[in-house]
Amino acid sequence: MQVMVAGAGPAGLMLAAELALAGVEVAVVDRLPQRSPFCRGFTLNARSLELLDRRGIADRFLAEGPTVPYGMFADPGRPLDLSAMDTDHPYVLGIAQTRVEELLEQWLAELGVPVSWGHEVIDLEQDGAGVDVTVRVGGEQERRRVDYLAGCDGSRSVVRKRAGIGFPGTAATTYGLLADVELANPADLPFGMTDGEHGTVFVLPRPGYVRIVLDEPAPPADRDEPVRPAYFQQVLNEVLGHPVQLRNPRWLTRFSDAARQADRYVAGRVVLAGDAAHIHPPAGAVGVNVALADAVNLGWKLAATALGRAPDGLLDSYHHERHEAGARVLQTTRAQMILARRHPDLDPVRDLFGKLTDLPPVNTYLAELAAGVSTRYDPRIPGAHPWLGTLAPNLKLTLGERHTSVAELLRPARPVFLHLGDRALPSSADGGVDTHHARCPEHAELEGMLIRPDGHTAWISTTTDPQPTDSLSTAWSTWCGAPAFSPPGLDEHTDQLGQRRT
């Protein structure tokens, strides 16, 4: 087995699909006997939808729920206008995390990879050639040898702990309670924020029930102690200052403002993604979205490494890129939690911040920051073009007489080289790159683009800012392996649609 993925949450499922697309033998195991019916998150943001679109499956998710063109950064009374974002998906999609996981598991099954439920990773030992993984199935233990092990097994990751990876950060200082319940009298507690005598209660409508979120008055003696319905009812009544009767509790849990991040996302032949790599306050409901972004960044790099095709340092670049992105998420969510605190000392700060968010440039900056749309990775080559290092726009293209798009060309999860202009550019006879001679009518100034499998622009040249071909060679060798460039210009074997798979 080339890769084992521990954990069948969003990170693990998306990672396994990326590996399968690349032709890697992959197994997915999860300690639970079946998928949990309970979930914390109910949104997919613009960044996630862009990534799913580049695999051709965004429509499956968009068919599941409503889209909303506004989002909350810290103050529900001042929502961000998401329509200002530079994206094909200027909104958030309302969809339960459990449904996201179901759709990803269905897609993964279509790719020929089942999930092995009730298979718990309990230990590992790695050497320079692979990882010996101990898996408990029922009452029995099995020893399995894999080339690489991906820990996508949650915040208390066994893989992270057994691999000796540190998890530094800030411990919890405040706790919150969450309950999915029914209101005996729906008129007793309206949707949205309600200020009580001793705090604030946040109520979200769900199909057939409501989600109630409030602050726990004091840190629990045991954070792992289950939240009992009677205790939640007591705290709710105390916060409001009057009783509101609840019934038919479905799920109760607690959360905190703890923020931690693995000091290494890559440790030998062990890699981490999702909550195993980082935990953060729940502000903005970005957990699922960050997990998907981790998986898409890691998938093609781990695949190339497992298949022996990766240039030097490719897998390490996963740590550098996503550790930086994860640190930014921790900082942003912590800032939101501080701004959301109902304390008189913070009133002037909240008021000033609210006025700033009313300014269109600030609104756009915060919206794209929270949604991950502004994510940029170091391209490792010089260049001033604003697309360099960012997710390439979903450009409309023509290949001969066929109309297509960047998203469609990226569906195989392979690097894409676009020869778009009249300037002669070298083409490679080596490396797993899909080369296309295309036109982009909306951006006639484009000459060429090299796009990584995760959709980020690795090289770009325009007629107004022509880039030297030696920088193309550097970008190609950095992300795709050493190129064997032919003389400038596409070779005579390019097919009638302008595509040559190298």
Side-chain angles (χ1 to χ4, degrees), residues 387 392-393 395-399 404-407 409-410 415-421 425-426 433-440 446-451 459-461 472 476 490 498:
W387 296 350
L395 303 173
K396 304 305 178 185
L397 306 170
T398 58
L399 301 180
T404 185
S405 66
V406 164
L409 296 181
L410 284 167
V416 170
F417 179 62
L418 298 176
H419 187 292
L420 295 161
L425 294 174
V433 181
D434 291 346
T435 300
H436 304 271
H437 191 197
R439 293 290 179 180
C440 182
L446 292 175
E447 290 187 328
M449 294 177 69
L450 178 63
I451 305 173
W459 182 85
I460 185 169
S461 178
L472 172 59
W476 201 298
L490 292 173

Side-chain angles (χ1 to χ4, degrees), residues 19 38 42 72 95 149 168 170 201 233-234 282 290 292 338 343 377 388 399-400 405 411 425 427 450 463:
L19 293 169
F38 308 118
F42 285 93
M72 186 179 74
I95 181 173
L149 174 63
T170 58
V201 177
Q233 179 76 74
Q234 174 189 339
V290 180
L292 294 176
I338 292 171
H343 193 285
Y377 301 136
L388 190 62
L399 301 180
S405 66
R411 288 178 184 176
L425 294 174
S427 58
L450 178 63
T463 54

Side-chain angles (χ1 to χ4, degrees), residues 32 42 58 92 108 122 159 277 295-296 323 332 381 396 398 409 414 458 468 480 497:
L32 295 177
F42 285 93
V92 292
L108 186 60
I122 60 174
V159 173
V296 175
H323 192 276
T332 302
I381 59 169
K396 304 305 178 185
T398 58
L409 296 181
R414 291 164 53 89
C480 311
L497 292 180

Side-chain angles (χ1 to χ4, degrees), residues 52-64:
L52 294 169
D53 193 28
R54 280 148 183 78
R55 295 299 179 260
I57 58 172
D59 287 347
R60 304 185 187 192
F61 296 83
L62 289 168
E64 293 288 325

Side-chain angles (χ1 to χ4, degrees), residues 249-261:
R250 301 175 181 223
W251 183 49
L252 298 97
T253 188
R254 64 169 43 86
F255 58 91
S256 77
D257 63 347
R260 297 186 179 277
Q261 187 173 25

Side-chain angles (χ1 to χ4, degrees), residues 59 66 89 130 217 297 347 390 473 502:
D59 287 347
H89 304 280
N297 185 288
D347 287 347
T390 68
S473 178
T502 60

